[in-house]
Amino acid sequence: MPDNRTMTAEAEARDDGHVQWLPMIAAIAAISVVGIAIGLGMPLLSIILETRGHSASMIGLNTAIAGIASIVAAPLATPLATRFGVALTMLAMIAIGALAFVGFYFAPFFWMWFPLRALLHLSLTVLFILSEFWISTSAPPHRRGLVLGIYATVLSLGFAAGPWLFSKLGSGGFLPFGTTVALVALAAIPIIAARRESPPIHVDGETKTGFLRYIWLVPTATAAVLVFGAVETGGFALFPVYGNRIGYSEADAALLLTMIGLGNVLMQIPIGMISDKVSDRRYLLLLCASVGLVGTAFMPLFAQNWHLMAGLLFLWGGVVAALYTVGLAHLGSQLSGHELASANAAFVLCYGIGMVLGPQAIGIGMDLFGPPGFGWSLALFFGAYMTLAIGRMLLRSRR
């Protein structure tokens, strides 16, 4: 996830040809917090709301606040880090996120969950942006692919570990909340150890105006991340509810989420290597969306067999997650320099918009059509993206 628009020069200035392992470990530890917190927190909070009798659409509405918070947080990361430093800002975000997460346990009223959700995801988004910046500055260009591959794998492992922890801890009592906060606290240790090596940031004077035009300049890439944001956020938040309504236990539904995360872990590097070999990444993006659409069609057919469902979600999760990685690669192949930096800001904005749309669309779909509405809502996003991608390719072929 992006926002290096004022950071690129610093990253290049710090490149000495060697990987700076201590700050890289610090940043990756922080990003693992994002994965675990989201992977455990999404199903945990949804199940708690479900047991309290809230509808799927209301659960989706509360989850959608995460996307709004991400949109708000994206332009704040650089000014905060410029003023207070990268390491101190990251430590502050860890503390704020931990306090917000614990707050859900003590909040007696549903309305309180909205500011808490906003605060949690604002802190996670800033942490995400600064972690990626710090990772980039710790790796020279000729080894950046290796370092970012490690980063992507750890993040995916965090997403997979979250639901697995949830399956073991359950949703009752303070234990799942306390465990998450303890993990967050541990991630702060390497950041403190590497704080003197955190990269400085100097604003380069680039204006913020006009970055929205990159949404329309490279729509195949920006739409891909929007769809991924919608499917990832909405799917993670409401799959436990869907699983419960089709007869899975809380633990079995959580383990199925873990299978999605494992698919992401094992398939991103191979798909990324394939994307480097194709001449036009839009075809690969179209293929990923097609697999996503076909996978949603098979979910109801496989629902009665946990092992078949697990295998489907492993494949489906890995390929769908490539919408983000291949979309980012496509963005980089089309733009460079300041244009690419500005496009990254549009990229994170689209991801946030997807986080808002996904939970709402899936929650409403389940309220209107029951459990099948889960897959139908997901299919709507994939179908719309396929229409856009095919239309763009046909338009280009006629020129």
Side-chain angles (χ1 to χ4, degrees):
M1 200 181 278
D3 203 8
N4 298 331
R5 57 185 181 279
T6 63
M7 306 176 182
T8 305
E10 290 294 333
E12 295 305 319
R14 289 170 60 86
D15 177 29
D16 59 2
H18 300 284
V19 176
Q20 300 169 28
W21 289 106
L22 179 59
M24 191 190 77
I25 291 170
I28 289 179
I31 208 64
S32 68
V33 170
V34 176
I36 294 173
I38 294 176
L40 190 154
M42 287 287 189
L44 171 64
L45 299 179
S46 295
I47 285 294
I48 292 174
L49 291 177
E50 168 84 352
T51 58
R52 292 181 182 179
H54 295 285
S55 67
S57 57
M58 290 306 296
I59 297 173
L61 176 63
N62 183 252
T63 306
I65 296 299
I68 297 174
S70 294
I71 293 170
V72 172
L76 297 178
T78 300
L80 286 172
T82 301
R83 182 177 179 85
F84 300 108
V86 171
L88 184 59
T89 303
M90 290 174 66
L91 290 171
M93 293 303 108
I94 286 176
I96 292 170
L99 290 173
F101 194 75
V102 170
F104 288 108
Y105 178 77
F106 294 103
F109 303 111
F110 181 51
W111 67 264
M112 295 179 176
W113 284 47
F114 288 88
L116 286 172
R117 183 86 73 165
L119 197 61
L120 172 64
H121 284 273
L122 188 147
S123 62
L124 290 179
T125 299
V126 173
L127 187 61
F128 199 112
I129 291 170
L130 295 182
S131 296
E132 185 167 89
F133 166 56
W134 202 350
I135 291 166
S136 295
T137 64
S138 301
H142 69 278
R143 301 189 70 180
R144 193 158 288 152
L146 167 65
V147 171
L148 292 177
I150 296 171
Y151 146 78
T153 300
V154 171
L155 178 61
S156 299
L157 284 170
F159 277 114
W164 179 81
L165 277 174
F166 177 60
S167 72
K168 301 298 181 183
L169 300 173
S171 60
F174 184 74
L175 183 59
F177 293 92
T179 301
T180 302
V181 171
L183 290 170
V184 169
L186 287 175
I189 295 174
I191 296 176
I192 294 172
R195 67 189 185 281
R196 297 186 186 279
E197 298 186 49
S198 66
I201 300 176
H202 302 295
V203 179
D204 61 10
E206 183 182 349
T207 64
K208 297 180 181 179
T209 58
F211 83 95
L212 291 176
R213 72 187 182 92
Y214 292 97
I215 296 175
W216 320 112
L217 189 62
V218 194
T220 313
T222 52
V225 75
L226 188 152
V227 170
F228 176 66
V231 170
E232 179 194 45
T233 306
F236 257 81
L238 288 164
F239 186 85
V241 178
Y242 169 73
N244 180 62
R245 294 184 181 181
I246 63 175
Y248 286 121
S249 68
E250 191 176 283
D252 282 345
L255 286 174
L256 287 174
L257 280 181
T258 300
M259 294 304 296
I260 296 176
L262 288 175
N264 192 350
V265 169
L266 296 177
M267 297 180 68
Q268 291 317 292
I269 292 176
I271 293 176
M273 293 173 66
I274 292 172
S275 76
D276 289 334
K277 304 295 183 181
V278 299
S279 58
D280 190 339
R281 289 186 174 90
R282 292 179 303 172
Y283 290 100
L284 188 55
L285 288 168
L286 179 59
L287 178 62
C288 292
S290 301
V291 171
L293 181 63
V294 172
T296 59
F298 275 91
M299 282 183 193
L301 302 177
F302 288 6
Q304 301 308 312
N305 187 310
W306 188 91
H307 294 91
L308 285 177
M309 191 71 159
L312 172 67
L313 292 177
F314 175 85
L315 177 63
W316 183 85
V319 174
V320 168
L323 284 170
Y324 179 87
T325 51
V326 178
L328 191 59
H330 177 62
L331 196 74
S333 69
Q334 301 298 306
L335 301 168
S336 61
H338 290 300
E339 283 194 327
L340 178 59
S342 296
N344 282 341
F347 204 70
V348 70
L349 177 66
C350 289
Y351 181 83
I353 292 172
M355 292 177 70
V356 174
L357 295 178
Q360 278 292 277
I362 298 170
I364 292 171
M366 291 178 68
D367 282 345
L368 291 176
F369 304 107
F374 179 82
W376 294 347
S377 301
L378 291 173
L380 182 64
F381 285 104
F382 292 122
Y385 180 78
M386 291 171 65
T387 301
L388 170 67
I390 292 171
R392 290 285 298 175
M393 287 186 285
L394 289 175
L395 183 64
R396 186 173 182 178
S397 66
R398 292 175 182 174
R399 291 177 180 174

